[in-house]
Amino acid sequence: MRALDKLWQALDERLELDPIVEFIRHKVVPTHRHSWAYYFGGLTLFFFFVQVSTGILLLLYYRPTAEAAFESVQFIVTRVPFGWLVRSIHSWSANLMILSAFAHMFSVYFMGSYAKPRELTWWSGVALLGLAMGFGFSGYLLPWNTLSFFATRVGTDMVSLVPFVGGWLLKFLRGGSEVTGATLTRFFGFHVAVLPMLTTLLLGFHLALIQRQGMHVPASLEEEAKRRKPIRFVPNFMMREGVVWLLGLAALAALAAFFPWELGTKADPFGSAPAGIKPEWYFLFVFETLKLLPAHIFGIEGELIGLGAFAAGGLVWFLVPILDRGRPGGGRGRTFFVLGWLVLAYIVGFTFASFAGVFK
Ligand code: HEM
């Protein structure tokens, strides 16, 4: 114990740790009937940590070439001790992380936490969700199996619709005009270097803002939060968050062990695409909407109009902190409250309908 005290003293003399200790000692989290929503950001963070650690383990054996990728993943799941489990956890955790990020986004949205002074937290959050989906899209191709190959072909085809720069964007993503080994190498680079670096930086920014500003209390709950005592961040909130992480781990372990992630068959670029090819679930609402549109609307390609509408919708969502001017007495505006429910119902509705095979 004395040795620990001495070590602390030595570090404190050099780094002046006192202000940090004071900050941690005084940091509190408000309590009210919607305090449960404060746990989703942390849960997303937990899944991100799982992604980084299992991703590093997979990297020890994975080979990013069209010739060897599929075989290297096959080797991981059949020969490497616990390799199947690590791969299964990585794939399941990717999905749970995106699910949890969506839950986090909608919960902060409905609490109106994007309002001044938290605009930057919202904007960095939207960017983080985009990066998380980029992780999913780039990682999907890496096993180089039939499904991922053709889904990537369909997915990257979409960017060619972008006016003026579409052709260039397509080549940039694919490393040529077709999905080949060059695309795989590129996606691998995005997946293990570019996206992790950007995510780490943005996440650091997101978390620093939250530390600086503290948790937001919705206007309608301010009275209640004043009446109820806030809880200390260390150790009370951290221990509760720890329980949430354990629940996340339990769900992850059960899914990964009982439903091991499948590998399928090796991609054959010259083979024909299997029927009913679909992207990952978090792109389904976009995919199904685009499929519903007629080939041409007023002489313009239907899919182009659809993509334009999604881009405009995404921009409105991004700009919500500026567009929502709130209500005179405080609290967020009604219009945006209703808009949030419409967006949520649309995403959930289309995703489930797609799973149920409503769209043929
Ligand atoms: C990789 C993804 C993300 C991680 C790891 C993450 C992490 C966190 C954490 C730990 C918190 C504090 C606890 C909480 O309120 O839950 C938080 C707060 C917040 N996040 Fe995120 N977040 C992510 C994505 C997002 C997204 C997609 C949005 C919205 C578009 C967002 C917007 C916010 C806002 C506005 C707050 C402040 C909430 C408040 O003050 O009450 N975040 N985030």
Side-chain angles (χ1 to χ4, degrees):
M1 212 52 201
R2 275 190 60 81
L4 272 183
D5 283 345
K6 274 195 171 163
L7 176 66
W8 177 261
Q9 204 182 342
L11 287 174
D12 190 26
E13 276 165 14
R14 286 158 183 82
L15 305 170
E16 289 189 32
L17 298 173
D18 260 0
I20 302 176
V21 176
E22 277 311 295
F23 174 75
I24 294 174
R25 211 171 260 161
H26 289 106
K27 186 173 164 57
V28 291
V29 178
T31 49
H32 47 73
R33 84 190 90 111
H34 292 316
S35 302
W36 51 267
Y38 295 143
Y39 295 95
F40 284 119
L43 185 63
T44 314
L45 191 60
F46 167 71
F47 289 127
F48 180 66
F49 289 150
V50 172
Q51 284 313 93
V52 175
S53 39
T54 50
I56 291 172
L57 288 177
L58 290 173
L59 261 184
L60 301 178
Y61 291 94
Y62 177 75
R63 281 180 285 155
T65 64
E67 294 73 36
F70 182 82
E71 284 77 5
S72 69
V73 179
Q74 209 165 34
F75 184 80
I76 291 172
V77 295
T78 55
R79 308 286 289 278
V80 178
F82 296 106
W84 67 273
L85 188 61
V86 173
R87 172 170 185 254
S88 197
I89 290 183
H90 192 75
S91 310
W92 275 110
S93 174
N95 286 281
L96 293 185
M97 175 175 148
I98 292 182
L99 186 66
S100 166
F102 267 107
H104 172 52
M105 177 174 76
F106 278 105
S107 60
V108 293
Y109 181 91
F110 287 117
M111 295 223 286
S113 312
Y114 50 75
K116 192 181 169 190
R118 292 183 176 76
E119 299 94 327
L120 286 171
T121 321
W122 175 260
W123 290 328
S124 56
V126 175
L128 278 169
L129 185 66
L131 289 175
M133 290 167 92
F135 264 117
F137 189 64
S138 56
Y140 198 50
L141 180 67
L142 299 187
W144 201 249
N145 57 25
T146 309
L147 221 63
S148 69
F149 176 83
F150 287 104
T152 305
R153 195 137 96 179
V154 177
T156 47
D157 247 344
M158 299 269 167
V159 302
S160 64
L161 290 171
V162 178
F164 311 116
V165 290
W168 178 86
L169 260 182
L170 183 83
K171 279 204 172 143
F172 170 74
L173 273 185
R174 290 183 173 175
S177 48
E178 289 299 323
V179 175
T180 61
T183 321
L184 180 64
T185 316
R186 241 160 231 230
F187 274 37
F188 177 70
F190 294 142
H191 195 77
V192 306
V194 180
L195 293 173
M197 190 184 66
L198 292 178
T199 307
T200 308
L201 287 176
L202 257 161
L203 201 53
F205 182 59
H206 195 70
L207 298 179
L209 286 171
I210 294 150
Q211 295 318 308
R212 185 98 181 113
Q213 299 177 323
M215 302 309 295
H216 163 79
V217 179
S220 59
L221 299 174
E222 262 167 17
E223 281 307 310
E224 187 187 331
K226 262 187 220 146
R227 254 184 292 118
R228 288 166 62 169
K229 237 175 93 182
I231 59 170
R232 289 172 60 182
F233 185 78
V234 180
N236 306 54
F237 183 81
M238 265 181 73
M239 282 165 89
R240 290 180 190 198
E241 183 80 62
V243 173
V244 175
W245 287 27
L246 281 177
L247 291 175
L249 181 66
L252 190 55
L255 288 168
F258 293 122
F259 306 98
W261 207 259
E262 294 199 3
L263 179 56
T265 51
K266 183 171 177 170
D268 173 9
F270 301 108
S272 49
I277 200 101
K278 278 185 181 181
E280 290 275 70
W281 61 268
Y282 37 88
F283 293 118
L284 280 178
F285 70 100
V286 178
F287 176 77
E288 298 292 7
T289 309
L290 293 179
K291 262 192 4 194
L292 283 181
L293 295 174
H296 288 93
I297 304 171
F298 303 122
I300 305 173
E301 237 176 293
E303 284 193 345
L304 179 59
I305 294 200
L307 281 184
F310 277 114
L315 188 65
V316 169
W317 194 250
F318 185 76
L319 293 179
V320 154
I322 296 176
L323 299 175
D324 181 4
R325 325 218 96 197
R327 272 181 275 172
R332 311 317 308 146
R334 264 266 137 237
T335 321
F336 283 87
F337 185 73
V338 176
L339 177 80
W341 279 110
L342 289 178
V343 172
L344 183 61
Y346 163 61
I347 294 179
V348 174
F350 265 61
T351 308
F352 275 100
S354 177
F355 274 121
V358 171
F359 311 105
K360 288 285 173 225

